[in-house]
């Protein structure tokens, strides 16, 4: 099915965000595991896999609309130098994603592409949930201090190799 070129471009822009997030969160998972923050490393790993599922859905939709997925495009991957910095960089990435998805959803509505709208709304909700979680972690750090926060992240998480 031939899709609207602007929607395909918006889907590719969303794909760029997801591909960037996969790499950023995966690297952060490995960093946190290395630092001994196994619970947090497991959370970053889970987020990376979630972003991979988003990328897969976007690729499938782009192909369905007879577009070409632009899988070599990435934004700057910002892994951060410590846990708080990671959260701040992740929040920036996710907020950019939320804004991009809202704009892309409006476009899909304008051109009457309900399938693309529905897909992006699903991803938007999950992105908003991640924003909420990140804001909560930053509030916890502010309220209990970084050392107390980090102490809660040292538990064992699943081993991801």
């Amino acid at each position: 099915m031939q899709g609207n070129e602007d929607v395909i471009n918006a889907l590719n822009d969303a794909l760029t965000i997801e591909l960037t997030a996969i790499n950023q969160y995966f690297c952060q998972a490995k960093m946190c595991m290395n630092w001994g923050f196994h619970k947090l490393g497991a959370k970053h790993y889970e987020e990376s896999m979630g972003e991979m599922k988003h990328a897969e859905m976007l690729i499938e939709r782009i192909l369905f609309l007879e577009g070409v997925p632009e899988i070599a495009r990435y934004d700057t991957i910002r892994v951060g130098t410590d846990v708080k910095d990671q959260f701040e960089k992740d929040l920036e990435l996710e907020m950019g994603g939320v804004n991009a998805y809202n704009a892309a959803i409006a476009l899909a509505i304008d051109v009457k592409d309900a399938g693309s709208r529905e897909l992006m709304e699903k991803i938007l909700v999950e992105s908003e949930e991640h924003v909420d979680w990140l804001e909560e972690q930053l509030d916890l750090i502010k309220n209990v201090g970084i050392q107390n926060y980090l102490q809660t992240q040292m538990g064992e998480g699943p081993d991801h190799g």
Side-chain angles (χ1 to χ4, degrees), residues 1 8 15 22-23 27 32 47 50 54 69 106 110 118 139 152:
M1 180 178 124
I8 292 169
L15 181 58
I22 291 166
N23 288 285
C27 186
C32 285
E47 290 295 338
H54 292 167
D110 285 346
E118 183 179 320
D139 283 345
T152 68

Side-chain angles (χ1 to χ4, degrees), residues 68-81:
V68 177
E70 297 179 19
I71 60 168
R73 286 188 347 191
Y74 291 89
D75 194 357
T76 303
I77 298 169
R78 297 172 176 92
V79 295
T81 56

Side-chain angles (χ1 to χ4, degrees), residues 82-89 138 141-142 146 150:
D82 57 42
V83 169
K84 184 174 182 278
D85 193 33
Q86 287 180 342
F87 289 151
E88 291 167 346
K89 293 193 176 356
L138 288 166
I141 290 169
K142 180 179 167 190
I146 188 69
L150 292 176

Side-chain angles (χ1 to χ4, degrees), residues 104-118:
I105 289 165
L107 171 65
I109 290 169
D110 285 346
V111 301
K112 297 176 178 34
D113 182 344
S116 295
R117 175 196 50 79
E118 183 179 320

Side-chain angles (χ1 to χ4, degrees), residues 32-90:
C32 285
M33 293 289 190
N34 185 58
W35 295 333
F37 304 125
H38 300 284
K39 285 171 65 176
L40 187 54
K43 174 65 175 168
H44 282 308
Y45 184 84
E46 176 187 314
E47 290 295 338
S48 178
M49 295 301 107
E51 304 296 351
M52 192 175 295
K53 288 180 175 82
H54 292 167
E56 179 181 26
M57 291 185 294
L58 289 164
I59 289 169
E60 288 172 353
R61 185 67 185 174
I62 292 165
L63 291 170
F64 176 78
L65 296 175
E66 298 180 18
V68 177
E70 297 179 19
I71 60 168
R73 286 188 347 191
Y74 291 89
D75 194 357
T76 303
I77 298 169
R78 297 172 176 92
V79 295
T81 56
D82 57 42
V83 169
K84 184 174 182 278
D85 193 33
Q86 287 180 342
F87 289 151
E88 291 167 346
K89 293 193 176 356
D90 293 353

